[in-house]
Amino acid sequence: MSKRVLIIGAGPAGLTAAYILGKAGQSVIVLEKNPQYVGGISRTETYKGYHFDIGGHRFFSKSSEVEDFWTEILGNEMLERKRSSKIYYNKKFFTYPLIAKEALPNLGLWESFLCVLSYVQIKIFPYENPTNFEEWVCNQFGKRLYRIFFKTYTEKVWGISCKEISADWAAQRIKGLSLSSAILNALFPAKNSNDKNAIIKTLIDSFRYPKYGPGQMWKVCAEKAKSFGAEIKMNAAVTKLNYEKNKWSAALSNGENEKDFDYVLSSAPIRELIPNIFPFFPEDAVVAARQLNHRDFLTVVFILKDRKKFTDNWIYIHDSQVKVGRIQNFKAWSPYMIPDESTTCYSMEYFCFEGDNLWNSSDADLISLAKKELMQIGLAREEDILDACVVRQQKAYPVYDKNYKDNIEIIKNTLKKYPGLYLIGRNGMHKYNNQDHSMMTAMLAAKNIIAGKELFDVWKVNQDAEYIESGERTDEGGRKIPNKI
């Protein structure tokens, strides 16, 4: 029996669900507040024929189901790309992942020795039960290397002290990485492995990427979802959700209403969604939702003559003398993104809070700042720069502060009283995850809807887009059975 499903947000999670549900014959409407682009933060924008991401988006997953989905949508339009990235520190560029013969001379033998000594010290006297980012990273790398390669960049990204960031974020984003594993990788680079579970995700050396950026994936996915009967409405922001007589309805910012849905899948930010659901969530859940914070993001995009000064995909800027946090080179991501091969396209990425001085700066001032910093780092000359534009992105990164986990638990417990409502995706679940995690939460929610029963708990998807079941399954001989979907 066909169900009516409302999906809020046409990002990776929302469009994955729309495609799967539409293909299964369900009735689907997707509401997207952006008037032009699908894909959410994974969209690709264009300026004078140049394509660029809102951040860079690698297509790599340990989940074969996600990889198969990407192939089903784009097929041969997916390129195989070699990963090339660097860290800019102390006016020098370090290849990342580290290469021993390069990193040691750049740091200096004495500094390298002190970093190893610091690592040995922390192994002898570690932080017991680390609760914040600083303690967790120091335990993995030592205090000296933490100050060199983590503190400046991380505080630039989040705008708060590393002591205020939950250890959960570090454990999620740099899972399996430590000084010892980084040194081993630097000395003995891993060969391509067929076992993706053995790969440390942050150290992958290749990935897939759509010819015209991630937006191509989600634009095609949207069109294919429509071919299965899904309806996608742009410029349609949801202002209110109502649950009455076992049905859901939504009020839109344009005054329209969508009614009689059996299910709602929302990738909207929790802090915006929860206070606008009727009947009202309990006060403690509304307060918890409003305490969930986000980091906002803006990018200054430059079109410039290609002098081959920057051939990497991206560079992390570990320098407190400049405000830029990361620089992307979209020609290195895909040459198809650049209409004139004598030129290239860089983006200077700045992390901020909506309403702060950086966010409120005029486009002209931001372009002037970014141009100055680009030249200061040594990646361009003023006469190379041909044009520029600015793109602002609200709520780019869910903040993992000390209280976020408790707030999420309050909300999760309350959701049980609202049948048919699923939170999916990065902002929908307040999880700083990659595309594959967002997609897997949508896949499991869609499977539940198609089956008409709760087969999966979407909150049990981990950062590697794997579903973690409760307990450990064994066969008749007592051997462990892998948890598969």
Side-chain angles (χ1 to χ4, degrees):
M1 180 178 176
S2 177
K3 321 289 196 316
R4 275 180 53 80
V5 184
L6 176 68
I7 299 175
I8 302 174
L15 290 177
T16 297
Y19 179 86
I20 293 171
L21 290 168
K23 192 176 181 180
Q26 310 301 315
S27 175
V28 178
I29 294 180
V30 182
L31 303 177
E32 170 54 51
K33 70 178 180 180
N34 191 298
Q36 181 178 0
Y37 295 103
V38 297
I41 196 174
S42 296
R43 69 187 183 276
T44 299
E45 297 214 8
T46 59
Y47 178 72
K48 296 186 176 180
Y50 290 79
H51 294 69
F52 53 90
D53 300 358
I54 309 305
H57 297 273
R58 292 175 289 175
F59 285 70
F60 173 88
S61 180
K62 293 184 179 183
S63 166
S64 59
E65 190 168 2
V66 170
E67 290 279 4
D68 290 346
F69 183 96
W70 288 331
T71 301
E72 183 173 337
I73 298 299
L74 275 191
N76 293 333
E77 290 292 290
M78 295 285 280
L79 306 175
E80 289 287 343
R81 308 301 292 165
K82 290 292 291 182
R83 177 242 182 91
S84 178
S85 59
K86 285 188 171 67
I87 291 172
Y88 179 73
Y89 166 75
N90 197 25
K91 303 191 185 322
K92 295 178 182 177
F93 293 95
F94 294 76
T95 298
Y96 183 79
L98 298 174
I99 298 175
K101 64 182 180 181
E102 173 198 271
L104 290 175
N106 276 357
L107 273 179
L109 290 177
W110 179 245
E111 183 64 53
S112 298
F113 169 75
L114 292 177
C115 287
V116 173
L117 180 62
S118 175
Y119 179 68
V120 172
Q121 289 175 331
I122 202 69
K123 287 302 170 186
I124 298 172
F125 304 106
Y127 288 104
E128 297 294 337
N129 302 315
T131 60
N132 61 56
F133 180 90
E134 179 174 306
E135 293 173 350
W136 193 95
V137 174
C138 284
N139 275 0
Q140 297 296 106
F141 295 90
K143 293 181 180 180
R144 198 171 189 92
L145 208 56
Y146 156 74
R147 289 194 294 269
I148 291 174
F149 284 136
F150 292 92
K151 187 176 190 299
T152 298
Y153 179 76
T154 301
E155 292 185 350
K156 192 180 288 188
V157 170
W158 295 108
I160 58 177
S161 166
C162 288
K163 293 180 180 179
E164 297 178 54
I165 301 170
S166 170
D168 291 351
W169 184 77
Q172 175 179 315
R173 300 303 292 184
I174 48 182
K175 176 187 177 185
L177 188 61
S178 65
L179 179 59
S180 57
S181 62
I183 290 173
L184 285 172
N185 185 80
L187 293 172
F188 308 104
K191 301 290 191 296
N192 287 334
S193 171
N194 292 325
D195 182 9
K196 290 190 174 185
N197 291 320
I199 299 172
I200 298 174
K201 211 166 184 181
T202 192
L203 297 181
I204 62 168
D205 60 4
S206 65
F207 54 89
R208 291 197 291 170
Y209 189 76
K211 288 172 66 173
Y212 296 99
Q216 180 185 9
M217 173 69 70
W218 301 115
K219 183 177 179 181
V220 173
C221 183
E223 292 304 316
K224 290 188 173 183
K226 289 179 184 177
S227 72
F228 293 134
E231 183 179 359
I232 300 176
K233 294 189 175 184
M234 305 299 292
N235 199 24
V238 174
T239 59
K240 176 183 174 182
L241 275 180
N242 188 69
Y243 182 67
E244 186 176 10
K245 296 180 180 178
N246 299 319
K247 294 289 183 179
W248 288 92
S249 62
L252 309 186
S253 57
N254 60 9
E256 295 180 4
N257 288 279
E258 298 288 349
K259 299 179 179 180
D260 297 324
F261 294 96
D262 301 294
Y263 296 92
V264 174
L265 277 60
S266 175
S267 62
I270 290 177
R271 64 176 299 166
E272 294 180 356
L273 178 77
I274 297 303
N276 292 298
I277 294 177
F278 299 86
F280 287 114
F281 268 53
E283 184 178 358
D284 64 336
V286 174
V287 170
R290 286 175 171 156
Q291 288 178 347
L292 294 173
N293 296 313
H294 295 80
R295 188 70 161 154
D296 304 294
F297 174 90
L298 58 85
T299 183
V300 180
V301 179
F302 286 115
I303 298 169
L304 61 166
K305 297 175 184 176
D306 190 2
R307 304 293 188 188
K308 309 299 182 185
K309 289 180 174 289
F310 176 17
T311 58
D312 302 286
N313 304 112
W314 70 89
I315 301 174
Y316 300 107
I317 307 301
H318 293 235
D319 185 345
S320 60
Q321 301 303 308
V322 293
K323 292 182 178 180
V324 65
R326 189 172 56 189
I327 307 176
Q328 306 278 353
N329 173 14
F330 289 107
K331 193 173 190 177
W333 285 87
S334 169
Y336 295 94
M337 312 249 298
I338 312 300
D340 179 352
E341 65 180 22
S342 70
T343 65
T344 190
C345 179
Y346 299 168
S347 73
M348 305 279 283
E349 299 176 353
Y350 293 87
F351 307 97
C352 53
F353 290 112
E354 184 179 0
D356 68 13
N357 289 337
L358 196 59
W359 180 272
N360 288 335
S361 296
S362 67
D363 286 4
D365 286 344
L366 289 169
I367 291 169
S368 177
L369 169 67
K371 183 185 296 185
K372 175 185 174 183
E373 293 190 345
L374 186 64
M375 293 187 291
Q376 183 176 333
I377 294 168
L379 296 179
R381 299 176 302 190
E382 186 166 12
E383 58 266 29
D384 297 336
I385 297 172
L386 305 174
D387 206 345
C389 68
V390 176
V391 176
R392 290 171 170 80
Q393 175 63 47
Q394 297 170 305
K395 297 179 176 59
Y397 305 116
V399 174
Y400 281 25
D401 56 30
K402 292 180 178 180
N403 299 317
Y404 94 97
K405 185 181 289 186
D406 291 338
N407 289 327
I408 290 296
E409 283 301 314
I410 292 171
I411 292 162
K412 283 169 59 177
N413 290 332
T414 307
L415 282 172
K416 298 172 184 176
K417 301 176 182 177
Y418 292 78
L421 175 61
Y422 288 97
L423 304 188
I424 58 173
R426 173 180 281 198
N427 282 338
M429 304 176 78
H430 202 81
K431 287 192 175 185
Y432 183 18
N433 53 37
N434 296 316
Q435 285 187 95
D436 59 341
H437 177 283
S438 294
M439 293 169 63
M440 184 56 69
T441 62
M443 288 175 174
L444 298 188
K447 289 179 180 183
N448 287 346
I449 291 170
I450 293 167
K453 57 184 177 180
E454 294 296 300
L455 299 174
F456 305 102
D457 178 355
V458 298
W459 294 94
K460 290 184 178 179
V461 178
N462 70 5
Q463 64 272 13
D464 289 327
E466 298 168 328
Y467 183 73
I468 307 301
E469 295 182 359
S470 299
E472 183 173 289
R473 297 188 300 160
T474 59
D475 62 17
E476 292 180 357
R479 292 180 294 269
K480 182 179 177 182
I481 301 173
N483 289 326
K484 299 290 185 182
I485 296 173

